[in-house]
Amino acid sequence: FLQNTAPVWVLLFAVFILGERIDARAWQSVLLAAAGAVVIVAGGWPRDLPPEEQGRAIAVLFMGVGSGFVYALVVMFLRVLRDHAAVWL
């Protein structure tokens, strides 16, 4: 489910990298999605596992967040390239 944080990353990249303006409703959506991601991570955080399994479980959680982050980067690159000829894509 953490890969579905990509729209939040895209919105944040659009604001901070591309300089786009967003309204209060979009910021509310970001906060709600961030709260949901925190609930998922906190609920899946390994507490009673041996140290070697705990490290693997934490890595899996970060891979989920990372997949959303990387997908958002792909979307942002495509957004930047939308003005170029499609033959180059």
Side-chain angles (χ1 to χ4, degrees), residues 41-42 44-63:
V41 169
W45 197 261
R47 291 182 185 86
D48 300 329
L49 295 175
E52 62 275 352
E53 289 181 32
Q54 197 172 39
R56 270 186 253 135
I58 291 170
V60 167
L61 287 172
F62 284 122
M63 280 189 256

Side-chain angles (χ1 to χ4, degrees), residues 14-88:
V15 169
F16 294 113
I17 294 174
L18 298 179
E20 294 186 9
R21 298 184 60 113
I22 59 171
D23 59 356
R25 186 180 223 175
W27 283 116
Q28 291 170 350
S29 300
V30 167
L31 291 175
L32 185 63
V38 167
V39 167
I40 291 172
V41 169
W45 197 261
R47 291 182 185 86
D48 300 329
L49 295 175
E52 62 275 352
E53 289 181 32
Q54 197 172 39
R56 270 186 253 135
I58 291 170
V60 167
L61 287 172
F62 284 122
M63 280 189 256
V65 173
S67 69
F69 185 83
V70 171
Y71 181 65
L73 286 176
V74 169
V75 170
M76 290 305 296
F77 284 130
L78 291 174
R79 191 170 187 176
V80 169
L81 293 174
R82 69 181 169 199
D83 295 333
H84 296 283
V87 72
W88 296 107

